[in-house]
Amino acid sequence: MQNRKERVGGWLPKDNQQITNWINQLVREIQPRMRVQSSTNGLKAEVLFKHREVQELKELLDRDPKIHLLAVQMIEQGREYSAEDPTGKPEIEDYDTMLALIDYIIGTAPEYMALGAKGRGLIGFPINAILDWCMGTQAGYAFFLNEQVNRCFEKILKAWCAYLETEESVYVLNDTETGWLCEAAKEELNLLDFKCDTSDPKYGFKSWNSFFTREFKEGMRPVAAAEDPYVIVSACESAPYRISTNVQKNTKFWLKGQPYSLEYMLNQDEDADKFIGGTVYQAFLSATRYHRWHSPVDGTIKRCFLVPGTYYAEVNSYPYDDAGPNNSQGYITHVAARAVILIESENTDIGLMAFIAVGMAEVSSCKLSVEEGKKVKKGQELGYFQFGGSTHCLIFQKDVIDMFVQDAIPAEDFNDSAMIPVCAKLAVAKRK
């Protein structure tokens, strides 16, 4: 087995050993939380959870025999799979330990870790790292599609996001080797391109989320061809993953090729039929990039809404998505938590188009900055991901796109695709 996972956007290290080391160190740190308490059946190991949201998931796993079985099996299957890896397997032997790690994580903020520092890479998706070995198993496939499980994870991630909104979460904004204001981090992030106060020790950021949803300074991302209604601009600071044409309303989106199914992507929206035969452009956001979305065209918001969904589901046809859910980006556009924005372009040759912001792992908190009926200019903010970046889609009707710019064409290995700045020229519409 190769010790290299093609992880999109740098959210997790490519080296399995770095993730294993990080998890095993975390397991040792949370050991004091494990307590042996007396019960009617003698001594029983119990975990003392700090967060009620984690306790609710624990109670669900203990209470529901089917979900309990899936949880036990996915950890066993994940350990069996990872045992084949020469880097070894993490010290997660049961779901109590898994939950204790998640309980610990949602009281912390992700640290910056320069490449090679202390033999580790950036753990931008800490919960994803904890679940990584069991997400793609046969049992994990069913577990992470379960509605009750996902509603528990929704509460857990909301609790974490609430913590990342507090002033306490800025402790990682420092100039140490693992701090987001060290020289390596500032250079990688091009931090001076963003609105910040360099006279303040925390650069003026009041919370982790205010840092990670930082805004560009005026003029840093000019809108390409602002007066040309046929030029469509990039909605996110992102790299292309896939372009698909002749997309259909219904298809088997769980197949290995992960074709797009409009009805499910758009959550059975009444306008889904208008996009039959059209084009889907999908691109992913990186860990250290800009995380807000902008309108690709001038137009009016016809509809915008949030879709509850999965958080750690991945396609089940590989049998393992070694870098899940990165290699499942097509699949998760149908099932993951996401935001859908339908824009009626002022250019009738473009007509109705759709933007979908798709949550990947813990990056699933989508915030809308627009509302139905409002006009938007090309390049105007539509919303943003809280806590980082993810993947997104633009959907166009049939025969709308004349051409995509060269950088928008995905590389053979999408990890090698070019990064397209937000508001840069992405495509040109046909003149009809």
Side-chain angles (χ1 to χ4, degrees):
M1 180 178 295
Q2 293 182 340
N3 180 29
R4 185 172 185 269
K5 298 187 178 186
E6 293 300 335
R7 299 186 183 278
V8 175
W11 286 102
L12 288 175
K14 294 179 179 179
D15 185 348
N16 297 0
Q17 186 66 64
Q18 293 180 346
I19 303 176
T20 300
N21 292 345
W22 178 82
I23 291 176
N24 290 344
Q25 177 59 36
L26 207 60
V27 169
R28 289 187 284 273
E29 290 180 16
I30 60 97
Q31 285 301 322
R33 293 176 180 231
M34 310 292 286
R35 294 289 185 270
V36 177
Q37 297 180 341
S38 61
S39 70
T40 54
N41 297 320
L43 295 180
K44 181 181 179 182
E46 294 286 354
V47 182
L48 303 180
F49 297 122
K50 292 178 61 178
H51 301 91
R52 59 179 176 80
E53 295 84 2
V54 179
Q55 182 62 36
E56 286 183 21
L57 179 54
K58 156 74 172 172
E59 292 170 359
L60 173 65
L61 302 189
D62 287 346
R63 179 179 69 249
D64 189 303
K66 293 181 181 179
I67 300 175
H68 172 87
L69 179 61
L70 290 174
V72 171
Q73 286 183 334
M74 74 177 184
I75 292 174
E76 291 177 349
Q77 291 169 6
R79 288 180 62 78
E80 180 181 349
Y81 169 64
S82 60
E84 301 173 12
D85 192 323
T87 61
K89 54 183 177 288
E91 297 172 1
I92 301 177
E93 299 184 355
D94 52 59
Y95 65 68
D96 278 342
T97 303
M98 180 186 76
L99 295 178
L101 293 173
I102 294 173
D103 187 57
Y104 175 84
I105 286 296
I106 62 176
T108 66
E111 293 181 318
Y112 175 80
M113 185 61 70
L115 184 62
K118 296 184 180 178
R120 285 165 42 186
L122 173 64
I123 307 290
F125 278 174
I127 295 179
N128 196 157
I130 293 166
L131 303 175
D132 193 50
W133 279 265
C134 58
M135 285 166 56
T137 64
Q138 292 292 320
Y141 175 72
F143 180 84
F144 290 109
L145 282 176
N146 183 276
E147 177 69 17
Q148 294 182 79
V149 170
N150 279 295
R151 296 294 68 82
C152 284
F153 270 109
E154 180 180 19
K155 292 179 182 179
I156 287 170
L157 295 177
K158 283 183 176 179
W160 193 12
C161 199
Y163 169 78
L164 296 174
E165 291 280 1
T166 66
E167 188 172 350
E168 181 183 347
S169 65
V170 299
Y171 72 91
V172 291
L173 301 185
N174 59 63
D175 59 4
T176 67
E177 185 183 37
T178 60
W180 288 93
L181 299 181
C182 70
E183 290 305 316
K186 288 190 291 186
E187 181 178 351
E188 184 177 358
L189 272 59
N190 296 312
L191 194 55
L192 295 183
D193 290 350
F194 295 85
K195 296 177 182 177
C196 58
D197 179 6
T198 55
S199 66
D200 180 78
K202 304 297 183 186
Y203 275 46
F205 298 110
K206 302 302 182 184
S207 69
W208 163 259
N209 269 340
S210 70
F211 165 71
F212 237 67
T213 58
R214 58 195 178 276
E215 300 178 71
F216 277 117
K217 292 177 180 176
E218 295 297 327
M220 292 306 303
R221 291 295 184 269
V223 179
E227 304 305 319
D228 187 340
Y230 286 88
V231 171
I232 298 163
V233 301
S234 177
C236 299
E237 192 97 347
S238 53
Y241 170 74
R242 180 185 294 166
I243 296 174
S244 289
T245 56
N246 195 31
V247 292
Q248 298 301 304
K249 181 177 179 178
N250 290 304
T251 189
K252 296 179 180 179
F253 57 82
W254 57 85
L255 297 176
K256 184 174 182 179
Q258 300 173 55
Y260 296 109
S261 181
L262 293 167
E263 183 173 30
Y264 290 101
M265 293 175 74
L266 296 169
N267 200 43
Q268 301 178 317
D269 186 83
E270 61 191 67
D271 284 322
D273 286 358
K274 294 182 179 179
F275 297 101
I276 294 174
T279 299
V280 173
Y281 167 83
Q282 185 171 0
F284 57 90
L285 291 77
S286 295
T288 55
R289 298 283 181 169
Y290 178 70
H291 305 110
R292 293 174 181 264
W293 334 315
H294 293 253
S295 181
V297 298
D298 293 332
T300 302
I301 305 300
K302 184 173 183 181
R303 246 183 326 281
C304 57
F305 51 90
L306 301 178
V307 181
T310 66
Y311 296 92
Y312 296 95
E314 59 183 55
V315 74
N316 190 37
S317 60
Y318 287 125
Y320 291 97
D321 178 352
D322 272 352
N326 295 317
N327 294 329
S328 299
Q329 286 187 73
Y331 171 76
I332 64 173
T333 62
H334 309 88
V335 299
R338 58 199 182 276
V340 177
I341 302 175
L342 293 158
I343 306 172
E344 188 70 54
S345 173
E346 290 183 1
N347 182 349
T348 56
D349 284 349
I350 295 177
L352 187 67
M353 64 157 296
F355 168 86
I356 305 178
V358 186
M360 286 177 66
E362 39 261 55
V363 189
S364 301
S365 181
C366 300
K367 296 293 183 180
L368 295 169
S369 302
V370 292
E371 56 187 36
E372 185 176 325
K374 295 294 184 181
K375 289 187 175 296
V376 290
K377 298 295 292 182
K378 182 161 57 176
Q380 182 177 330
E381 184 180 308
L382 297 175
Y384 55 93
F385 290 112
Q386 282 192 306
F387 180 23
S390 190
T391 189
H392 75 285
C393 293
L394 299 179
I395 307 179
F396 302 95
Q397 295 183 63
K398 185 177 181 180
D399 294 328
V400 164
I401 299 299
D402 183 41
M403 59 159 286
F404 284 96
V405 300
Q406 184 59 41
D407 281 350
I409 308 301
E412 184 175 351
D413 180 343
F414 59 81
N415 291 275
D416 298 327
S417 294
M419 182 65 63
I420 302 178
V422 65
C423 297
K425 183 177 179 179
L426 180 74
V428 178
K430 290 181 180 179
R431 296 177 182 270
K432 300 176 183 178

